[in-house]
Amino acid sequence: MHDQADTKNLSLGAWTKRCYFAGRALMDERLRPFDLGSTQWYVLWCLVNNGPSVQRDLGRTLELERATLSGIIATLVRKDLIAQTADGGDQRQRLLTLTAAGEKLWRRLPDLSFIHDAAFGGIDEADLATTIRVLKSATERLQTLLRKD
């Protein structure tokens, strides 16, 4: 583990990345007994909370590259947690829906909100609002710069 001298000079970006990876590692640890990874969980979460989705739209929502999402979807289909069918309007598009087995697994999964509570519980709401505003603005600026290239 890093001592105080190793971490005191890290940038905002480095701390954001470290926080993300720590939360994701905890999430993966809790999902491992269910043979799920965090990204697979996010796909299931989207389908549970938003209903069936066209694969392309889900990729945009999760900000995943097509090849990455295809592999995740193939794994979830193989596990019989989601179904992938041709979308009625456009046969090239794939409609993703949760299967009965996926719904059953979802009901068994642990509530992961404790991760948010552990990370941010007790932190002043104004500080959190400022952090969100700053990171949102920085993300939008970088995405705009990326689109200009």
Side-chain angles (χ1 to χ4, degrees):
M1 195 70 179
H2 297 285
D3 62 24
Q4 189 73 11
D6 291 333
T7 59
K8 70 178 183 177
N9 294 318
L10 290 178
S11 68
L12 172 64
W15 279 115
T16 302
K17 182 178 178 180
R18 289 172 65 104
C19 182
Y20 167 75
F21 281 130
R24 186 170 173 165
L26 189 53
M27 195 174 177
D28 284 334
E29 175 191 80
R30 296 298 166 98
L31 293 171
R32 195 168 295 118
F34 300 92
D35 192 31
L36 277 183
S38 54
T39 307
Q40 293 174 350
W41 181 90
Y42 278 120
V43 169
L44 296 177
W45 183 92
C46 285
L47 296 175
V48 165
N49 289 284
N50 302 324
S53 177
V54 174
Q55 188 166 328
R56 176 194 62 227
D57 295 341
L58 186 63
R60 288 182 186 141
T61 298
L62 296 174
E63 296 187 27
L64 293 171
E65 292 189 19
R66 186 181 303 190
T68 301
L69 182 61
S70 292
I72 292 164
I73 297 303
T75 299
L76 292 171
V77 167
R78 188 173 55 253
K79 293 178 180 182
D80 190 37
L81 300 175
I82 65 171
Q84 183 184 48
T85 57
D87 187 21
D90 184 346
Q91 295 296 310
R92 296 170 299 168
Q93 296 303 319
R94 299 291 171 215
L95 183 65
L96 305 174
T97 55
L98 207 58
T99 63
E103 290 175 16
K104 183 178 178 183
L105 175 66
W106 184 259
R107 287 190 299 273
R108 292 181 39 232
L109 293 176
D111 178 2
L112 299 177
S113 63
F114 79 93
I115 297 171
H116 180 274
D117 296 341
F120 303 111
I123 296 177
D124 183 74
E125 289 296 321
D127 289 343
L128 290 174
T130 298
T131 302
I132 290 168
R133 189 177 65 253
V134 168
L135 289 173
K136 181 177 184 279
S137 175
T139 300
E140 289 168 351
R141 289 174 182 196
L142 293 172
Q143 288 173 335
T144 298
L145 186 60
L146 184 63
R147 284 190 294 269
K148 287 182 180 178
D149 289 348

